[in-house]
Amino acid sequence: MENITKKYNNGEITIVWKPAVCIHSTKCFRSLPNVFDPRKRPWITPAGTETNQIIEQINQCPSGALSYFKNEMSLPQAVEAIKINTRQYAKRQMTWFRNRMKDWNWRENADLSNIIAFTTENIA
Ligand code: SF4
């Protein structure tokens, strides 16, 4: 159950719920029962409620079990953004390692581009 992530979409945002993180504070379904109702399946039904109201409620989740992302990108755009961000992250990590591990014997000709390319190509 630890890695289970459930997603619920209303067209504008996708609500993400991680059951293993939920501490059952009851905050969500006491405050916004038309969206969060543990007696129903699925227990989160965002259709018909203002997105801003849902976001406000999600931001009050004390455990972080609830989160959301806005549905603003197409899948190809998201894949491209992930590739760019992953490449930039890998480069920042290498800079960090080189600055911290100055006594290491770095292989100056090490070509990380294959590793980065493999990683980013396998995201899609
Ligand atoms: S507010 Fe968060 S922690 Fe509380 S019941 Fe809802 S999802 Fe679980």
Side-chain angles (χ1 to χ4, degrees):
M1 179 143 162
E2 286 122 34
N3 293 325
I4 293 174
T5 298
K6 303 266 187 176
K7 293 181 180 147
Y8 310 86
N9 194 331
N10 76 348
E12 292 181 7
I13 61 166
T14 298
I15 300 170
V16 180
W17 181 59
K18 295 183 176 179
V21 179
C22 178
I23 57 172
H24 309 290
S25 71
T26 74
K27 239 178 173 186
C28 55
F29 57 86
R30 284 184 190 272
S31 301
L32 203 55
N34 50 328
V35 174
F36 303 96
D37 186 344
R39 294 168 301 179
K40 289 185 189 168
R41 292 292 174 268
W43 82 282
I44 299 177
T45 50
T49 303
E50 286 289 319
T51 295
N52 285 344
Q53 239 185 317
I54 298 170
I55 290 172
E56 270 179 37
Q57 191 57 53
I58 289 170
N59 288 339
Q60 291 175 36
C61 173
S63 67
L66 287 172
S67 61
Y68 70 92
F69 57 87
K70 293 181 177 174
N71 304 339
E72 292 179 341
M73 286 185 180
S74 67
L75 181 59
Q77 288 172 321
V79 168
E80 194 53 37
I82 290 169
K83 286 179 180 179
I84 290 168
N85 288 338
T86 302
R87 194 172 292 121
Q88 290 171 343
Y89 179 74
K91 285 182 178 177
R92 281 197 308 274
Q93 288 297 95
M94 283 312 300
T95 302
W96 186 87
F97 277 121
R98 286 183 194 279
N99 288 333
R100 294 289 171 132
M101 318 302 182
K102 290 184 177 168
D103 54 335
W104 284 21
N105 186 11
W106 289 92
R107 292 177 55 204
E108 288 307 318
N109 293 327
D111 183 9
L112 299 174
S113 60
N114 287 341
I115 296 170
I116 293 169
F118 175 83
T119 305
T120 55
E121 289 307 316
N122 286 286
I123 289 171

Short mmCIF file of all heavy atoms in Angstrom, two decimals, residues 73-99:
data_model
loop_
_atom_site.label_atom_id
_atom_site.label_comp_id
_atom_site.label_asym_id
_atom_site.label_seq_id
_atom_site.Cartn_x
_atom_site.Cartn_y
_atom_site.Cartn_z
N MET A 73 -0.52 21.10 -19.52
CA MET A 73 0.40 20.68 -20.59
C MET A 73 -0.17 19.47 -21.31
O MET A 73 -0.82 18.64 -20.69
CB MET A 73 1.74 20.26 -20.00
CG MET A 73 2.61 21.33 -19.53
SD MET A 73 4.19 20.59 -19.03
CE MET A 73 5.06 22.02 -18.50
N SER A 74 0.15 19.38 -22.58
CA SER A 74 -0.17 18.16 -23.31
C SER A 74 0.88 17.13 -22.91
O SER A 74 1.93 17.47 -22.34
CB SER A 74 -0.13 18.40 -24.81
OG SER A 74 1.21 18.67 -25.19
N LEU A 75 0.63 15.86 -23.21
CA LEU A 75 1.59 14.82 -22.87
C LEU A 75 2.95 15.05 -23.54
O LEU A 75 3.98 15.00 -22.85
CB LEU A 75 1.04 13.44 -23.22
CG LEU A 75 1.95 12.26 -22.88
CD1 LEU A 75 2.27 12.23 -21.38
CD2 LEU A 75 1.30 10.95 -23.31
N PRO A 76 3.01 15.37 -24.85
CA PRO A 76 4.34 15.62 -25.45
C PRO A 76 5.06 16.80 -24.79
O PRO A 76 6.28 16.76 -24.62
CB PRO A 76 4.01 15.93 -26.92
CG PRO A 76 2.69 15.28 -27.16
CD PRO A 76 1.95 15.36 -25.86
N GLN A 77 4.31 17.85 -24.42
CA GLN A 77 4.94 18.99 -23.74
C GLN A 77 5.50 18.56 -22.38
O GLN A 77 6.58 18.97 -21.98
CB GLN A 77 3.92 20.11 -23.53
CG GLN A 77 3.55 20.85 -24.79
CD GLN A 77 2.39 21.82 -24.55
OE1 GLN A 77 1.45 21.51 -23.81
NE2 GLN A 77 2.45 22.97 -25.20
N ALA A 78 4.72 17.73 -21.66
CA ALA A 78 5.17 17.27 -20.34
C ALA A 78 6.41 16.40 -20.47
O ALA A 78 7.36 16.55 -19.68
CB ALA A 78 4.05 16.49 -19.66
N VAL A 79 6.44 15.53 -21.47
CA VAL A 79 7.61 14.66 -21.68
C VAL A 79 8.84 15.51 -21.98
O VAL A 79 9.92 15.29 -21.42
CB VAL A 79 7.35 13.64 -22.82
CG1 VAL A 79 8.63 12.95 -23.25
CG2 VAL A 79 6.30 12.62 -22.39
N GLU A 80 8.67 16.51 -22.84
CA GLU A 80 9.80 17.38 -23.17
C GLU A 80 10.29 18.15 -21.95
O GLU A 80 11.49 18.28 -21.71
CB GLU A 80 9.40 18.35 -24.30
CG GLU A 80 10.56 19.05 -24.96
CD GLU A 80 11.65 18.10 -25.47
OE1 GLU A 80 11.33 17.01 -25.97
OE2 GLU A 80 12.82 18.47 -25.34
N ALA A 81 9.36 18.65 -21.13
CA ALA A 81 9.73 19.38 -19.92
C ALA A 81 10.47 18.47 -18.95
O ALA A 81 11.45 18.89 -18.32
CB ALA A 81 8.48 19.96 -19.26
N ILE A 82 10.03 17.23 -18.84
CA ILE A 82 10.71 16.27 -17.95
C ILE A 82 12.12 16.00 -18.44
O ILE A 82 13.07 15.96 -17.65
CB ILE A 82 9.90 14.95 -17.85
CG1 ILE A 82 8.61 15.20 -17.07
CG2 ILE A 82 10.73 13.85 -17.20
CD1 ILE A 82 7.62 14.06 -17.14
N LYS A 83 12.28 15.85 -19.74
CA LYS A 83 13.62 15.59 -20.30
C LYS A 83 14.55 16.76 -20.01
O LYS A 83 15.68 16.58 -19.56
CB LYS A 83 13.53 15.36 -21.81
CG LYS A 83 12.96 14.02 -22.19
CD LYS A 83 12.89 13.90 -23.69
CE LYS A 83 12.31 12.55 -24.09
NZ LYS A 83 12.21 12.41 -25.55
N ILE A 84 14.08 17.97 -20.26
CA ILE A 84 14.91 19.16 -20.03
C ILE A 84 15.27 19.28 -18.56
O ILE A 84 16.43 19.47 -18.19
CB ILE A 84 14.20 20.43 -20.54
CG1 ILE A 84 14.12 20.40 -22.07
CG2 ILE A 84 14.89 21.69 -20.05
CD1 ILE A 84 13.20 21.44 -22.67
N ASN A 85 14.26 19.13 -17.69
CA ASN A 85 14.51 19.26 -16.25
C ASN A 85 15.44 18.18 -15.73
O ASN A 85 16.27 18.43 -14.86
CB ASN A 85 13.18 19.25 -15.49
CG ASN A 85 12.40 20.52 -15.70
OD1 ASN A 85 12.96 21.55 -16.05
ND2 ASN A 85 11.09 20.45 -15.53
N THR A 86 15.29 16.96 -16.26
CA THR A 86 16.17 15.85 -15.83
C THR A 86 17.61 16.12 -16.25
O THR A 86 18.55 15.93 -15.48
CB THR A 86 15.68 14.52 -16.43
OG1 THR A 86 14.33 14.30 -16.02
CG2 THR A 86 16.55 13.36 -15.98
N ARG A 87 17.79 16.59 -17.48
CA ARG A 87 19.14 16.91 -17.97
C ARG A 87 19.77 18.00 -17.11
O ARG A 87 20.92 17.88 -16.68
CB ARG A 87 19.04 17.35 -19.44
CG ARG A 87 20.37 17.38 -20.15
CD ARG A 87 20.20 17.66 -21.65
NE ARG A 87 19.55 16.56 -22.32
CZ ARG A 87 18.40 16.66 -23.00
NH1 ARG A 87 17.78 17.81 -23.09
NH2 ARG A 87 17.87 15.61 -23.58
N GLN A 88 18.99 19.05 -16.81
CA GLN A 88 19.52 20.15 -16.00
C GLN A 88 19.84 19.68 -14.58
O GLN A 88 20.84 20.06 -13.99
CB GLN A 88 18.52 21.30 -15.97
CG GLN A 88 18.41 22.01 -17.31
CD GLN A 88 17.28 23.01 -17.37
OE1 GLN A 88 16.38 22.98 -16.54
NE2 GLN A 88 17.32 23.89 -18.35
N TYR A 89 18.97 18.82 -14.04
CA TYR A 89 19.19 18.30 -12.69
C TYR A 89 20.46 17.46 -12.64
O TYR A 89 21.28 17.60 -11.72
CB TYR A 89 17.98 17.44 -12.25
CG TYR A 89 18.12 16.84 -10.89
CD1 TYR A 89 17.99 17.63 -9.75
CD2 TYR A 89 18.40 15.49 -10.73
CE1 TYR A 89 18.14 17.09 -8.49
CE2 TYR A 89 18.53 14.94 -9.48
CZ TYR A 89 18.41 15.73 -8.36
OH TYR A 89 18.56 15.19 -7.12
N ALA A 90 20.65 16.60 -13.64
CA ALA A 90 21.86 15.76 -13.69
C ALA A 90 23.12 16.62 -13.76
O ALA A 90 24.11 16.35 -13.08
CB ALA A 90 21.78 14.81 -14.88
N LYS A 91 23.07 17.67 -14.53
CA LYS A 91 24.23 18.57 -14.64
C LYS A 91 24.50 19.29 -13.31
O LYS A 91 25.65 19.43 -12.90
CB LYS A 91 24.02 19.58 -15.77
CG LYS A 91 24.20 18.94 -17.13
CD LYS A 91 24.04 19.95 -18.24
CE LYS A 91 24.27 19.26 -19.58
NZ LYS A 91 24.06 20.15 -20.70
N ARG A 92 23.42 19.72 -12.65
CA ARG A 92 23.61 20.38 -11.33
C ARG A 92 24.20 19.40 -10.33
O ARG A 92 25.05 19.77 -9.52
CB ARG A 92 22.27 20.91 -10.81
CG ARG A 92 21.83 22.21 -11.43
CD ARG A 92 20.74 22.89 -10.61
NE ARG A 92 19.62 22.04 -10.30
CZ ARG A 92 18.57 21.85 -11.10
NH1 ARG A 92 18.51 22.45 -12.26
NH2 ARG A 92 17.58 21.06 -10.72
N GLN A 93 23.75 18.16 -10.37
CA GLN A 93 24.27 17.14 -9.45
C GLN A 93 25.76 16.93 -9.69
O GLN A 93 26.53 16.80 -8.75
CB GLN A 93 23.52 15.81 -9.63
CG GLN A 93 22.11 15.83 -9.09
CD GLN A 93 22.08 16.05 -7.59
OE1 GLN A 93 21.92 17.16 -7.14
NE2 GLN A 93 22.25 15.01 -6.82
N MET A 94 26.16 16.86 -10.97
CA MET A 94 27.57 16.65 -11.28
C MET A 94 28.42 17.82 -10.80
O MET A 94 29.50 17.63 -10.25
CB MET A 94 27.76 16.43 -12.79
CG MET A 94 27.36 15.05 -13.26
SD MET A 94 28.03 13.70 -12.25
CE MET A 94 29.77 13.95 -12.43
N THR A 95 27.91 19.03 -10.96
CA THR A 95 28.62 20.20 -10.46
C THR A 95 28.77 20.13 -8.95
O THR A 95 29.84 20.38 -8.39
CB THR A 95 27.87 21.49 -10.87
OG1 THR A 95 27.76 21.50 -12.29
CG2 THR A 95 28.59 22.73 -10.39
N TRP A 96 27.67 19.74 -8.29
CA TRP A 96 27.69 19.62 -6.82
C TRP A 96 28.72 18.58 -6.39
O TRP A 96 29.54 18.81 -5.50
CB TRP A 96 26.30 19.24 -6.31
CG TRP A 96 26.20 19.22 -4.82
CD1 TRP A 96 25.90 20.26 -4.00
CD2 TRP A 96 26.39 18.08 -3.96
NE1 TRP A 96 25.89 19.85 -2.69
CE2 TRP A 96 26.19 18.52 -2.64
CE3 TRP A 96 26.70 16.75 -4.18
CZ2 TRP A 96 26.30 17.67 -1.55
CZ3 TRP A 96 26.82 15.90 -3.09
CH2 TRP A 96 26.62 16.36 -1.79
N PHE A 97 28.71 17.40 -7.04
CA PHE A 97 29.65 16.34 -6.70
C PHE A 97 31.10 16.80 -6.90
O PHE A 97 31.96 16.59 -6.06
CB PHE A 97 29.39 15.07 -7.51
CG PHE A 97 28.31 14.21 -6.94
CD1 PHE A 97 27.19 13.91 -7.70
CD2 PHE A 97 28.41 13.69 -5.66
CE1 PHE A 97 26.18 13.12 -7.18
CE2 PHE A 97 27.41 12.89 -5.14
CZ PHE A 97 26.30 12.60 -5.90
N ARG A 98 31.34 17.44 -8.03
CA ARG A 98 32.71 17.86 -8.33
C ARG A 98 33.21 18.89 -7.31
O ARG A 98 34.37 18.88 -6.93
CB ARG A 98 32.80 18.45 -9.74
CG ARG A 98 32.74 17.40 -10.82
CD ARG A 98 32.91 18.03 -12.20
NE ARG A 98 32.53 17.11 -13.24
CZ ARG A 98 33.30 16.14 -13.71
NH1 ARG A 98 34.51 15.98 -13.21
NH2 ARG A 98 32.88 15.36 -14.66
N ASN A 99 32.32 19.76 -6.83
CA ASN A 99 32.71 20.75 -5.85
C ASN A 99 32.91 20.14 -4.46
O ASN A 99 33.75 20.59 -3.69
CB ASN A 99 31.68 21.87 -5.78
CG ASN A 99 31.73 22.76 -7.01
OD1 ASN A 99 32.78 22.88 -7.65
ND2 ASN A 99 30.62 23.35 -7.36
#
